[in-house]
Amino acid sequence: MIKVLVVDDSAVVRQVLSRELSRVPDITVVATASDPFVARDKILQFHPDVMTLDIEMPRMDGLTFLRTIMQHYPIPTIIVSSLTTKCSEMALEAIAAGAIDVIAKPGAAYTVGDVATILIEQVRAASLVNFDKMKRISQTIAANSKTHLSLTKTTEKIIALGASTGGTVAIETVLQRLPANSPGIAIVQHMPAKFTEQFAKRLDSICEVNVREAVNGDVIVPGTVLIAPGNFHMLIRRNGAKYCVEIKDGPKVFHQRPSVEILFNSAAQFAGRNAVGVILTGMGSDGALGLKAMRDAGACTIAQDEATSVVWGMPGEAVKANAAEKVLPLGVIAEHMLLAAQRY
């Protein structure tokens, strides 16, 4: 049984999240808290396996509390936040501080059912996280981030990349190593609307490649990374000699919108051997079959290995499906992406 602590200053949100999490037999909400001071006492009393945490709260904000608790009593934490620019920025800082993932609160953009489905899966994934492993991953990231790669031969190939839980840090690790003339990249990271915009801005400020949230019709060009906007699917299309992206609504695939499966299937159909497919850490199986379609179409395909994945769900399913030509640790994926893009 997974024990969960729900921390939010809204009594309504606490009630909704507790009710939805308690619907499944393997999760129990052992306590709720209206602010970090109450939460601290509840942690010591109930020893929860996972905590959901709001960002904006009275007396102490969630980010400050998370940083404190990670030093003294590390606990897998999922940020449940409002869709505002300020909250999006703080949520990304929370992930950098050790939070496992971020989801949006129920509201106009996301129904209670939408949030509940994703939250249940994230709680299950978070309960399996090993902080010693995460520390080793962080040390590997720090060691590799100092080395920047170069592209020795120009290429017209494009890269399609997908990730979920743990993916924000993994994507940052990969992109920071790429040169300014890197092949064009299209990325789906499971993340709510508003958060993807801030995520793209953060990456753009620390990477040599240009990173932005994609808009419909954007052309995938060298040196540019397009991030799928939250709550919309992103597909790769061909327009003459160029590849561009289509941003569209549509049913969720594997409970996700944007879906990695949608991105990879479109890359298989329209780019074939002119694409490289990469699947990184994440819960569930979104993208596994799409990566197989890319491999069958002639693309080079890469999956992150289990040792460096926060959650080896998506890449693990891809490996089971024989979708990955290579299974690699996070620290060398950027290098192999470039090598694959130059392969003819």
Side-chain angles (χ1 to χ4, degrees):
M1 184 69 71
I2 304 168
K3 299 184 295 182
V4 179
L5 169 64
V6 175
V7 185
D8 199 291
D9 65 319
S10 166
V12 173
V13 172
R14 293 197 303 273
Q15 182 182 35
V16 168
L17 296 185
S18 298
R19 182 190 69 218
E20 295 302 319
L21 287 172
S22 298
R23 290 185 189 276
V24 294
D26 57 328
I27 297 174
T28 181
V29 177
V30 293
T32 65
S34 57
D35 66 50
F37 293 96
V38 176
R40 178 195 57 195
D41 295 336
K42 299 287 188 181
I43 289 172
L44 295 175
Q45 180 180 358
F46 293 99
H47 304 286
D49 301 306
V50 178
M51 175 171 65
T52 72
L53 181 64
D54 187 16
I55 286 291
E56 290 190 308
M57 289 183 291
R59 298 208 287 171
M60 181 187 292
D61 65 78
L63 177 57
T64 302
F65 176 59
L66 179 70
R67 286 171 172 161
T68 301
I69 206 69
M70 284 300 177
Q71 289 181 357
H72 303 289
Y73 194 103
I75 177 173
T77 300
I78 299 164
I79 302 298
V80 184
S81 178
S82 302
L83 293 176
T84 67
T85 299
K86 179 182 177 182
C87 286
S88 300
E89 292 172 349
M90 293 178 70
L92 290 176
E93 290 185 47
I95 290 176
I100 303 302
D101 218 327
V102 56
I103 68 170
K105 287 185 177 181
Y110 298 92
T111 67
V112 170
D114 291 337
V115 172
T117 299
I118 296 173
L119 181 58
I120 287 167
E121 291 304 311
Q122 287 189 341
V123 165
R124 287 170 174 156
S127 70
L128 301 175
V129 167
N130 182 307
F131 277 104
D132 288 336
K133 178 181 177 181
M134 288 188 68
K135 184 181 290 187
R136 292 195 300 271
I137 294 172
S138 297
Q139 291 169 347
T140 301
I141 290 170
N144 282 282
S145 62
K146 298 175 184 177
T147 306
H148 291 275
L149 301 169
S150 61
L151 193 66
T152 58
K153 182 170 60 175
T154 59
T155 176
E156 297 301 318
K157 289 193 176 183
I158 60 172
I159 298 170
L161 186 151
S164 183
T165 310
T168 53
V169 175
I171 289 170
E172 179 179 320
T173 303
V174 171
L175 296 191
Q176 275 195 293
R177 299 199 64 200
L178 297 180
N181 64 340
S182 167
I185 304 174
I187 294 179
V188 164
Q189 162 68 41
H190 295 160
M191 187 177 281
K194 302 291 185 183
F195 291 82
T196 45
E197 180 182 1
Q198 295 305 315
F199 180 47
K201 287 180 179 179
R202 170 178 164 73
L203 291 172
D204 188 61
S205 69
I206 60 176
C207 297
E208 291 187 12
V209 289
N210 296 316
V211 187
R212 66 175 184 269
E213 186 180 64
V215 297
N216 191 50
D218 270 343
V219 179
I220 306 173
V221 296
T224 298
V225 177
L226 302 175
I227 307 286
N231 213 22
F232 288 92
H233 291 307
M234 182 167 73
L235 298 81
I236 293 173
R237 301 295 193 204
R238 186 150 194 165
N239 184 4
K242 297 180 179 179
Y243 295 102
C244 59
V245 296
E246 178 184 355
I247 307 301
K248 60 183 292 186
D249 202 349
K252 291 185 169 143
V253 177
F254 293 103
H255 307 297
Q256 301 293 341
R257 187 174 56 233
S259 164
V260 182
E261 192 78 8
I262 293 285
L263 176 69
F264 284 174
N265 279 327
S266 66
Q269 180 180 357
F270 290 97
R273 62 182 296 137
N274 290 323
V276 176
V278 182
I279 192 163
L280 302 179
T281 175
M283 64 180 182
S285 57
D286 185 26
L289 297 179
L291 194 71
K292 181 63 164 61
M294 289 188 69
R295 187 175 187 183
D296 290 344
C300 174
T301 55
I302 299 169
Q304 185 177 350
D305 70 358
E306 184 173 9
T308 62
S309 294
V310 174
V311 178
W312 206 55
M314 287 162 45
E317 290 299 317
V319 171
K320 288 179 187 177
N322 196 31
E325 181 180 337
K326 297 180 180 180
V327 182
L328 300 170
L330 179 61
V332 301
I333 285 178
E335 178 182 0
H336 283 267
M337 276 171 36
L338 295 183
L339 290 173
Q342 295 175 93
R343 187 182 73 179
Y344 290 94

